[in-house]
Amino acid sequence: MNKLSLNVKDLEQLLPIMKKNSLATVIAYADNQLVTCPLPLVSEFKDNKLTIYGHLSTRNPLAKHLKIASEITILFHGPNTYINSSWYQVDDVSTWNYITVQASGKPATHEDHASLIDILKKTTALANENYADQWDFNIPSDLQSESELEAAIMGFSLTPTNISGRFKLSQSKSAADQRNIIAELEKRTDSASHQIGEFMTKNFKD
C-alpha cells in the first residue's frame, strides 16, 4: 500500500480504458524532432494480439514521422480527478488521481484504399459503440475516388511491444483515508470523479 501508483499489465483491465478513452496522444521522434498529436484510435484484440489503429491527414507533420520512426509511444488518458487534502485524517498535500495507459512499439503505415476504408470503418464502429448518437459510415463526395482518399489521409497501426497502465489511486494512503476519499468522490456530480471512485473501490486493499 506504500506505492504511489499501480503498474498494470493486464490487458483485460487496460483494453476497456483504451476503448472508452480513444482520443490518445501519439508521440513520435524522428529526424531529431519530436512530434505529438491527439488522434482517435481503435484498440482491437484479435487472435490473441492487440493492434491499435489510427488515421490522420497526410499534411499532418506526424504522418512523415510515422513512416520513419523506429518507435512511437501512445498515451491513452483515462479518468482523472482532484483529491482534496481535507479528506485525509492527517493534514497532507492535495493531489490528483488518474488512470493512463501507455503503449509503444514500431508503427506500420497503411496507404492503400482498402486499408484506409477498413480503418475508417473501425473508427466509426468504435464511435457508435461509445456514443448514443449513431452515424452511418460514408465517404465525403470530394474523397470518393481511391486516389483522392489515398492522397488525403494515411492510416497506421501499432502492435505494442510494451504496454502498461498507471493507476494512481491514493494507494499510499491509509485504508481509512481511501474509504473517505471514495465516499467524497461519490458526492461529486462529475463522471470522472465517479469513475476514479469506482477504480479505487475495485483496487482497494485493506
Side-chain angles (χ1 to χ4, degrees):
M1 197 166 62
N2 291 325
K3 293 182 177 179
L4 291 176
S5 64
L6 289 175
N7 187 27
V8 180
K9 299 281 188 179
D10 182 9
L11 272 180
E12 287 190 9
Q13 293 188 63
L14 301 182
L15 193 57
I17 298 168
M18 298 162 69
K19 287 185 174 182
K20 189 170 185 178
N21 303 277
S22 56
L23 185 70
T25 301
V26 182
I27 306 164
Y29 181 79
D31 280 349
N32 297 315
Q33 184 182 20
L34 183 69
V35 176
T36 67
C37 185
L39 293 173
L41 304 178
V42 178
S43 302
E44 183 178 86
F45 189 71
K46 187 176 181 181
D47 298 327
N48 206 36
K49 183 177 72 171
L50 172 66
T51 307
I52 302 169
Y53 297 93
H55 69 281
L56 70 165
S57 167
T58 54
R59 293 175 294 179
N60 189 316
L62 180 64
K64 173 188 173 183
H65 276 52
L66 289 172
K67 290 184 178 183
I68 61 177
S70 58
E71 183 174 277
I72 64 170
T73 296
I74 297 174
L75 182 61
F76 293 86
H77 309 269
N80 67 88
T81 194
Y82 171 70
I83 304 300
N84 193 319
S85 62
S86 68
W87 298 346
Y88 306 145
Q89 290 182 316
V90 179
D91 286 344
D92 200 350
V93 295
S94 298
T95 189
W96 217 270
N97 279 1
Y98 57 82
I99 301 288
T100 62
V101 178
Q102 182 171 302
S104 60
K106 183 172 177 58
T109 55
H110 307 282
E111 301 178 79
D112 63 285
H113 186 263
S115 295
L116 294 175
I117 292 294
D118 182 58
I119 291 173
L120 292 173
K121 286 183 175 179
K122 290 179 189 294
T123 306
T124 301
L126 179 62
N128 286 339
E129 180 182 322
N130 283 339
Y131 299 99
D133 47 310
Q134 303 291 285
W135 182 71
D136 293 329
F137 175 79
N138 68 75
I139 298 295
S141 58
D142 60 338
L143 298 176
Q144 285 293 321
S145 74
E146 293 188 8
S147 59
E148 288 172 328
L149 186 65
E150 291 171 353
I153 67 171
M154 185 183 81
F156 68 95
S157 63
L158 175 71
T159 300
T161 52
N162 291 289
I163 184 168
S164 64
R166 188 174 183 191
F167 291 17
K168 184 175 180 295
L169 301 169
S170 299
Q171 294 94 339
S172 62
K173 295 301 177 184
S174 67
D177 278 348
Q178 290 185 56
R179 290 193 190 96
N180 197 52
I181 291 169
I182 292 169
E184 293 294 337
L185 290 175
E186 289 175 352
K187 296 177 184 178
R188 287 183 175 168
T189 58
D190 64 290
S191 62
S193 291
H194 293 169
Q195 290 177 60
I196 289 295
E198 291 170 3
F199 274 105
M200 287 186 66
T201 300
K202 291 177 183 177
N203 289 274
F204 178 79
K205 291 183 180 180
D206 207 335

